[in-house]
Amino acid sequence: MSGEAPLTNDMQASVAAGVAALPERLDASTAARAVRQLAILTTNAEAAESYPGALAAARRAAGAPAVIVAAAPRRTVSTGYSWWSVIAFALGLIAPALVLAGFVSSSGPDPASMALASGVFMAIALGMFVWLEPLRTSSPLYRGGNFAGGLFIFNAVLWALAALVLLGRFDDLVGDPVAVIGLVVQVLASIGCAVLAVFAIRHDRERPRWAGRNAAESSAVRPAARTVASLDSPEVQRLLDEWRLHVWRVSSAAERAALTAAETRAVRLLVQRGSLTVAQADEVGRVPREGVPGD
């Protein structure tokens, strides 16, 4: 396993995560299987997708009992929550429209006369956004939270635009304390929405997915979990050896180079953490791909 080719940052992170999930002590044959399994799952997306099916077929062929994985608890939201979300979003759009309508059209209401109503709607919408935030990433309305940060930034910019329109007509507001109060509320709501966007983006990065797991599963975690799961019975491993050999044979030269690079990196990390000696690492490199002896 020499001649390490460049690996992407994601691939390197996946290899490191997979190695971290392996047992502390490994013999050469187990390490060879684990390393090659990890390399495939890390560098070959198509093979990684087909691996669960290959593992299930190997277990069935070997007569191994089916492995039932309990579904992770789903954090769902009520229909009422979804409706409140729609209402909050609607208020967030209506609020600046009250001011901007008179600005873009002479037939619209005077922006100054709508300043307080617009500010109140913004404040109510902001309060609802804050109230809804703890469960927002569990709601399908926000697609698992992927666009929430952008949504709140959009609202903050739109609200600030309405406030700027009023500031441009500040002479009309001076004699109207109600309009001034409305302008102040709009400015504070715009700032508050911008602050909320920062927290929303942070929540998105740590989000649970409304469609499944408690936390978003990174690309580095999946290969690690699958590598440990692949340390199965000898007969299952023999069948997986055949699957890994097939993947190797149908891989292109570039794909084989990436596989070899990932294997080299994994073995190096195992040596660094003390799971393998240098002599064992050399032995891993000499294990033929046709199968792992010693079972």
Side-chain angles (χ1 to χ4, degrees):
M1 295 183 187
S2 59
E4 183 171 358
L7 296 173
T8 65
N9 291 336
D10 285 344
M11 290 179 182
Q12 293 181 28
S14 295
V15 171
V19 169
L22 292 174
E24 285 295 325
R25 307 306 302 177
L26 296 168
D27 56 43
S29 62
T30 302
R33 277 179 168 141
V35 162
R36 285 168 184 172
Q37 181 71 37
L38 179 59
I40 288 175
L41 298 177
T42 300
T43 64
N44 191 317
E46 184 177 348
E49 288 298 321
S50 67
Y51 171 70
L55 178 58
R59 284 173 171 161
R60 285 195 301 270
V67 177
I68 300 175
V69 180
R74 292 180 59 177
R75 191 182 185 190
T76 57
V77 296
S78 65
T79 303
Y81 177 93
S82 298
W83 276 111
W84 283 117
S85 299
V86 172
I87 292 171
F89 182 67
L91 285 175
L93 294 179
I94 292 173
L98 294 176
V99 171
L100 296 177
F103 176 73
V104 299
S105 174
S106 58
S107 61
D110 179 45
S113 66
M114 292 287 103
L116 182 60
S118 177
V120 170
F121 277 21
M122 289 180 189
I124 293 174
L126 177 60
M128 294 180 70
F129 286 150
V130 173
W131 173 56
L132 295 166
E133 177 60 21
L135 290 177
R136 175 186 51 77
T137 55
S138 298
S139 171
L141 294 176
Y142 289 93
R143 298 180 181 271
N146 286 334
F147 302 105
L151 174 65
F152 293 131
I153 292 173
F154 171 76
N155 275 283
V157 171
L158 202 58
W159 295 357
L161 183 61
L164 287 174
V165 168
L166 292 175
L167 283 173
R169 303 187 176 190
F170 191 74
D171 292 342
D172 299 335
L173 273 63
V174 173
D176 189 350
V178 173
V180 173
I181 293 173
L183 173 60
V184 172
V185 174
Q186 288 185 30
V187 171
L188 293 177
S190 301
I191 295 172
C193 197
V195 173
L196 177 60
V198 175
F199 286 95
I201 292 172
R202 184 180 301 172
H203 292 164
D204 292 346
R205 291 172 180 170
E206 303 169 350
R207 69 187 181 275
R209 292 182 177 177
W210 68 271
R213 294 166 293 279
N214 287 336
E217 188 182 57
S218 70
S219 60
V221 173
R222 289 191 294 269
R226 291 175 180 174
T227 300
V228 175
S230 72
L231 302 179
D232 223 307
S233 67
E235 178 60 18
V236 172
Q237 279 301 337
R238 184 189 66 78
L239 295 171
L240 288 177
D241 284 340
E242 296 178 1
W243 176 76
R244 285 187 284 267
L245 179 59
H246 171 72
V247 173
W248 173 264
R249 285 172 173 168
V250 300
S251 296
S252 65
E255 289 170 337
R256 290 185 179 185
L259 284 170
T260 303
E263 292 169 4
T264 302
R265 182 172 180 81
V267 170
R268 184 178 302 160
L269 291 174
L270 286 171
V271 172
Q272 288 176 355
R273 80 170 191 178
S275 296
L276 294 176
T277 64
V278 175
Q280 287 176 317
D282 292 338
E283 187 178 348
V284 169
R286 292 194 297 271
V287 172
R289 293 188 183 273
E290 286 73 12
V292 182
D295 291 327

